[in-house]
Amino acid sequence: MSTLTIAIVIVFVMGYALIATESLTKINKAAIALLMFVCCWTLYMVDPAPFVQLMHPDFKGTADQLVQFTNKVITEHLGDTSTTLFFLMGAMTIVEIVDQNGGFNWVKNVMSSKSKRSLLWKIAFMTFFLSAILDNLTTSIVMIMILRKLVRDHKDRMIYASLVIIAANSGGAFSPIGDVTTIMLWNAGMITAAGVISEIFVPSVISMVIPAFVLQFMLKGKLGSDAMESDASGDTELLEFSGMQRKIIFGLGVGGLCLVPVFRYFTNLPPFVGILLVLGILWTVTELFYRGLHREKGDSEDFSKRVTNLLSRIDMSTILFFLGILMAVACLEEVGVLTQLGKGLNVAFNGNHFMVTGIIGVLSSIVDNVPLVAGCMGMYPIQAATDFGVDGIFWQLLAYCAGVGGSMLIIGSAAGVVVMGLEKITFGWYMKHISWIALVGYLAGILCYWIIREFIFTVPA
């Protein structure tokens, strides 16, 4: 490992430590993430030639062409990162529009419960199955908005929100469209929809149910009858739409989010394009409703600016945090650290798939699971009639571990990061109270999968 590589790793570790101790340093995690991003890539550009030779051996060119090529590499990573950022901004805006216009009111009535523990189980299973259809990021945003209407006490809501993270990651792991990593494996032909659902569903349920069972003991008493009517404001004019209009807004918003995977399937366009399509339609319909309301009231207020004003509610610090973290991890990928780590694990554990994928799952709570899975896909080609065959043990375990493992740290998944921003949960609080619970569920799911493969399904020879 070169001196520059070591320096980049040190910068990443130091930045990660500062993010983890945000509650002590009082420095916003987004600022640290942006500094990590810039410092890592600055060190990379000191002498990019060895890194390019390692990760892009086909490149042959002059020094000037090398600079152009490395800039292109950075731009490509920024493009990949931007798809996540636009997806996040679009989904947050859609959910905000639905929420501010009373779209979640009837959902609040369906989910409401006098018992805190009863509500916990409703939230757990709704999040779990919704994340199998949507991605865990969008599901988390929707569920946090619903929680804000049901739970006034912030300490209780932190516990519910933590379960949302765990349930969203677990639900995404068993569905071929529920998580970015399962989509990657599915598209590459390493897992099939039927295979991953039939064999990963039960372990995923276990990884959610056990933490939910433990977390219920952290909740005592009953919910107050004065649950929050609206988290955002007392702007009652936004809630003057008719019941039918609210249902239309809810259907266009949440229904549109559910159809994003279908849009992607038929158009082969990235998911963020579908999100922007839903946002454009919902925005247009909502403004038409505002215009009609304006005519009925006969006043001079410009209702068309209502949706525009909602954009100011988007948490830009969370967006910038995403940008910094993902681009810093991309730098680790470009210097070959993640690939070397994957190979080292395989050697250290002598090809024990449960240990290798289990460790990868733990690592996915520290760094982004997408490059980890991508590195594994590059290291281990499909081999028929082996554990690396289609629906083989390695690929299915990888789908489970990379998805569920991110729950062990709050910044280990997209769901965790967005909930962290929305509910102001600190890294330290989550690690102290929730991480060990998520770890127990994660290990129980792996054990469950071993039982399924050992005694129910035939393991490839």
Side-chain angles (χ1 to χ4, degrees), residues 235-255:
D235 194 350
T236 56
E237 286 185 301
L238 283 174
L239 298 179
E240 289 185 0
F241 290 147
S242 67
M244 179 58 67
Q245 286 174 322
R246 294 180 191 179
K247 289 179 181 179
I248 291 174
I249 290 173
F250 179 85
L252 288 174
V254 178

Side-chain angles (χ1 to χ4, degrees), residues 70-246:
T70 52
N71 285 330
K72 181 181 178 181
V73 168
I74 296 173
T75 302
E76 288 176 351
H77 281 294
L78 180 60
D80 292 339
T81 300
S82 296
T83 62
T84 301
L85 300 184
F86 279 113
F87 187 98
L88 174 60
M89 288 188 288
M92 291 175 74
T93 306
I94 290 168
V95 174
E96 193 71 42
I97 293 172
V98 174
D99 179 48
Q100 288 299 299
N101 292 287
F104 287 128
N105 283 2
W106 72 273
V107 180
K108 182 195 75 171
N109 295 332
V110 172
M111 294 293 294
S112 63
S113 172
K114 293 183 178 179
S115 168
K116 292 182 179 180
R117 293 182 178 181
S118 174
L119 176 63
L120 178 137
W121 287 104
K122 289 182 179 181
I123 292 291
F125 280 101
M126 184 173 183
T127 304
F128 181 83
F129 287 106
L130 193 59
S131 68
I133 303 171
L134 305 176
D135 65 288
N136 54 12
L137 181 65
T138 308
T139 300
S140 300
I141 297 171
V142 171
M143 296 309 299
I144 292 301
M145 290 299 183
I146 293 174
L147 274 175
R148 285 180 173 179
K149 292 187 171 297
L150 296 171
V151 183
R152 181 183 295 275
D153 185 82
H154 185 251
K155 291 183 179 180
D156 284 347
R157 205 161 66 242
M158 287 169 66
I159 296 172
Y160 287 113
S162 300
L163 182 60
V164 165
I165 296 171
I166 295 171
N169 289 333
S170 296
F174 81 89
S175 168
I177 61 172
D179 190 86
V180 177
T181 52
T182 54
I183 290 174
M184 290 166 58
L185 293 168
W186 184 39
N187 286 342
M190 294 167 171
I191 59 174
T192 64
V196 73
I197 291 173
S198 62
E199 298 182 41
I200 299 298
F201 175 74
V202 175
S204 294
V205 171
I206 294 295
S207 70
M208 179 272 292
V209 168
I210 290 179
F213 178 77
V214 176
L215 287 173
Q216 72 174 345
F217 295 104
M218 298 173 67
L219 297 169
K220 297 179 181 179
K222 296 183 179 296
L223 291 168
S225 58
D226 57 341
M228 289 176 126
E229 290 301 322
S230 177
D231 166 70
S233 69
D235 194 350
T236 56
E237 286 185 301
L238 283 174
L239 298 179
E240 289 185 0
F241 290 147
S242 67
M244 179 58 67
Q245 286 174 322
R246 294 180 191 179

Side-chain angles (χ1 to χ4, degrees), residues 390-442:
V390 177
D391 281 334
I393 287 179
F394 183 85
W395 302 122
Q396 291 192 343
L397 268 176
L398 186 62
Y400 169 84
C401 292
V404 178
S407 300
M408 284 182 276
L409 293 177
I410 196 167
I411 63 173
S413 65
V417 171
V418 74
V419 171
M420 183 183 192
L422 292 173
E423 286 299 317
K424 310 304 178 187
I425 300 175
T426 65
F427 182 97
W429 182 89
Y430 189 93
M431 190 170 185
K432 179 180 179 180
H433 295 94
I434 307 298
S435 291
W436 71 271
I437 299 174
L439 174 62
V440 171
Y442 171 72

Side-chain angles (χ1 to χ4, degrees), residues 208-428:
M208 179 272 292
V209 168
I210 290 179
F213 178 77
V214 176
L215 287 173
Q216 72 174 345
F217 295 104
M218 298 173 67
L219 297 169
K220 297 179 181 179
K222 296 183 179 296
L223 291 168
S225 58
D226 57 341
M228 289 176 126
E229 290 301 322
S230 177
D231 166 70
S233 69
D235 194 350
T236 56
E237 286 185 301
L238 283 174
L239 298 179
E240 289 185 0
F241 290 147
S242 67
M244 179 58 67
Q245 286 174 322
R246 294 180 191 179
K247 289 179 181 179
I248 291 174
I249 290 173
F250 179 85
L252 288 174
V254 178
L257 292 175
C258 293
L259 291 176
V260 168
V262 178
F263 176 83
R264 182 183 184 279
Y265 176 81
F266 284 108
T267 64
N268 291 318
L269 289 169
F272 82 93
V273 180
I275 285 288
L276 296 182
L277 171 64
V278 176
L279 176 58
I281 294 173
L282 183 62
W283 194 333
T284 301
V285 171
T286 305
E287 286 201 350
L288 291 174
F289 285 169
Y290 285 149
R291 202 171 296 254
L293 187 59
H294 161 60
R295 286 197 298 266
E296 289 179 10
K297 291 173 69 70
D299 59 24
S300 58
E301 185 172 357
D302 186 4
F303 284 90
S304 66
K305 293 183 179 179
R306 292 288 196 179
V307 178
T308 306
N309 290 338
L310 291 181
L311 295 175
S312 64
R313 299 182 184 275
I314 302 303
D315 188 354
M316 283 305 299
S317 66
T318 298
I319 302 296
L320 293 175
F321 175 69
F322 254 109
L323 173 63
I325 282 289
L326 293 179
M327 287 301 292
V329 171
C331 186
L332 292 184
E333 182 183 0
E334 281 299 321
V335 299
V337 169
L338 298 183
T339 303
Q340 292 177 28
L341 186 60
K343 291 179 179 178
L345 286 173
N346 201 39
V347 172
F349 295 106
N350 196 28
N352 185 317
H353 305 318
F354 286 87
M355 291 299 296
V356 172
T357 54
I359 296 297
I360 289 174
V362 174
L363 290 174
S364 74
S365 68
I366 302 173
V367 299
D368 186 49
N369 58 5
V370 172
L372 282 176
V373 172
C376 291
M377 291 169 65
M379 289 181 338
Y380 307 111
I382 296 178
Q383 302 173 23
T386 69
D387 290 345
F388 295 99
V390 177
D391 281 334
I393 287 179
F394 183 85
W395 302 122
Q396 291 192 343
L397 268 176
L398 186 62
Y400 169 84
C401 292
V404 178
S407 300
M408 284 182 276
L409 293 177
I410 196 167
I411 63 173
S413 65
V417 171
V418 74
V419 171
M420 183 183 192
L422 292 173
E423 286 299 317
K424 310 304 178 187
I425 300 175
T426 65
F427 182 97

